[in-house]
Amino acid sequence: MLFEFLGSVARGRLCALITALPLTVAVAAAQTHEHKLANGLRVIVKEDHRAPTVVSMVWYKAGSMDEVNGTTGVAHVLEHMMFKGTQTVPAGEFSKLVAAAGGRDNAFTARDATGYHEQLHKSQLPLAFRLEADRMANLALSKAEFAKEIKVVMEERRLRTDDRPQALVYEQLMATALDSHPYRTPTVGWMSDLESMRVEDARAWYKDWYAPNNATVVVVGDVDFKEVFALASKYFGKLKPRVLPERKPQDEPPQRGIRRVTVKAPAELPYLLMGYRAPVLRDVERDWEPYALEMLTGVLDGNDAARLTRSLVREEKIANAVGTDYESTQRGPGMFIVSGVPTTGRTAAELEQALRRELAKVVSDGVSEEELKRVKAQVVAAQVFQRDSMFFQAQQIGSLETAGYSYQAIDTIIRKLQQVTAAQVQEVAKKYLVDDSLTVAVLDPQPLDSRTPAVAPKGLRHDR
């Protein structure tokens, strides 16, 4: 959801910040500068002079949604291979060079993009640019290194999905809710595709998508934007652009009735996911429904005083945990998700009925102005406090840009969220929280002694 994109939600007593935010955003926007190299690479720099450090990120607009059947997981596999050496930097040396300079690095693969980042002293930014430009064009992709790394990725899938019941349920929810869109496949890939993947698949992905004209470099820190542009030209400017694959429309056909799936896996308690098809933001200025849906998530699950936790966890004690999730800024179709774990002795079916009852109250009775005021304060508080993090600022810019928006849209997004009315929240609940667009996934817990403990794969990076 956008609250996660904005950062962890702050708690209470911050309503006064709402009126102060537009000025804060305007000041931040004035410190952000953009430049495009002749080869198509975009460079976005946000100056933040509070500490002599810098965050450098390279975002490729290529994620798991760009994959095709038979090679699911290849975007993530290539992310691993990007640390396995170039013609001039041997395998494993990338991170050692960054660490020797007093920095740290990592990477991530998402549905919409793949990103690589370094956090360093500001004097070491040339090192980050040199290393990233090198592997953007000169990745070795040896067969021997691939044979080792694909085993790491398969173990990662076992550790983070196959041996985690709730992850399995979410995977099956998406595979059931969507018929054709690539969001239905897991970012880590299906195991059968990983088992049959070859180095040639990774090489083709690299050739198709890893080009300067499909990348955005984001720098936040104690820098001068003109100097950063000059460094980018020096290290990235000589790289040649490529003809990118054609991206064809991938529209998901309409759902025509409720869908259900049950997942059997070793676990202590059941788990319930209810996913409703919902729109995402396409026109930042004109759309209003995604903003109202964001507010609805906050009303239901904004903090411990929100409706679901107050009613189902604390008062009725039918659930150990409940929550909502909605991502309004993404390239693919949207999903409004309600989740919960029933207390011992209660069933997933009982929890589903209780959740349905709470959602029905919003549809019939709406939300109060006080609830809405609280949620708006949380959004503003999160935005203000998270700006203390240079990494968050860089991530915010990169995620918006690669999802098809502009970093300049953040002030519009906040303003539009502030303008949401209680009537609009009730209207989107009535329109989208309906059975014809609902998929229900349930974990049917099996005895725990049937589970074989997973061992973390050697070389697994913490945020992959």
Side-chain angles (χ1 to χ4, degrees), residues 179-182 248-254 277 282 331 333:
D179 292 320
S180 62
H181 195 277
K248 297 182 179 180
Q250 300 184 82
D251 296 327
E252 177 68 20
R277 295 269 195 95
R282 292 293 178 241
R331 290 166 57 196

Side-chain angles (χ1 to χ4, degrees), residues 337-391:
I337 296 176
V338 183
S339 61
V341 177
T343 53
T344 302
R346 307 303 289 266
T347 66
E350 290 175 299
L351 179 56
E352 179 184 341
Q353 291 305 311
L355 287 168
R356 282 175 172 273
R357 185 188 68 237
E358 292 301 316
L359 298 181
K361 289 180 182 178
V362 178
V363 172
S364 61
D365 303 334
V367 301
S368 70
E369 291 297 336
E370 185 61 32
E371 286 177 304
L372 201 54
K373 186 177 181 180
R374 170 182 58 80
V375 175
K376 290 178 180 179
Q378 291 167 357
V379 172
V380 175
Q383 175 65 12
V384 171
F385 286 119
Q386 287 300 314
R387 284 201 175 136
D388 285 339
S389 167
M390 292 183 185
F391 184 85

Side-chain angles (χ1 to χ4, degrees), residues 115-181:
Y116 304 85
H117 53 86
E118 297 81 36
Q119 294 177 269
L120 298 147
H121 187 271
K122 64 179 183 178
S123 64
Q124 297 300 321
L125 182 59
L127 172 66
F129 275 17
R130 175 173 65 83
L131 292 173
E132 290 290 3
D134 178 39
R135 66 179 177 180
M136 184 182 287
N138 304 309
L139 194 63
L141 279 169
S142 74
K143 190 172 183 178
E145 288 293 341
F146 180 86
K148 291 187 292 184
E149 200 62 25
I150 193 66
K151 294 179 181 178
V152 173
V153 176
M154 286 190 283
E155 279 304 308
E156 181 179 346
R157 182 189 158 85
R158 295 186 185 101
L159 177 71
R160 294 184 172 178
T161 303
D162 295 345
D163 291 317
R164 292 179 60 187
Q166 292 189 2
L168 280 175
V169 174
Y170 176 77
E171 184 176 84
Q172 287 301 306
L173 173 80
M174 298 305 294
T176 304
L178 300 177
D179 292 320
S180 62
H181 195 277

Side-chain angles (χ1 to χ4, degrees), residues 367-436:
V367 301
S368 70
E369 291 297 336
E370 185 61 32
E371 286 177 304
L372 201 54
K373 186 177 181 180
R374 170 182 58 80
V375 175
K376 290 178 180 179
Q378 291 167 357
V379 172
V380 175
Q383 175 65 12
V384 171
F385 286 119
Q386 287 300 314
R387 284 201 175 136
D388 285 339
S389 167
M390 292 183 185
F391 184 85
F392 166 79
Q393 294 178 72
Q395 187 177 43
Q396 182 186 64
I397 292 170
S399 60
L400 276 175
E401 290 288 335
T402 52
Y405 309 93
S406 167
Y407 70 90
Q408 296 175 335
I410 185 60
D411 54 343
T412 302
I413 290 173
I414 297 296
R415 174 171 55 82
K416 298 290 284 187
L417 284 169
Q418 292 171 324
Q419 293 173 352
V420 171
T421 67
Q424 288 176 325
V425 174
Q426 182 179 18
E427 185 173 342
V428 293
K430 186 179 300 184
K431 183 175 180 180
Y432 294 108
L433 303 186
V434 297
D435 279 2
D436 282 352

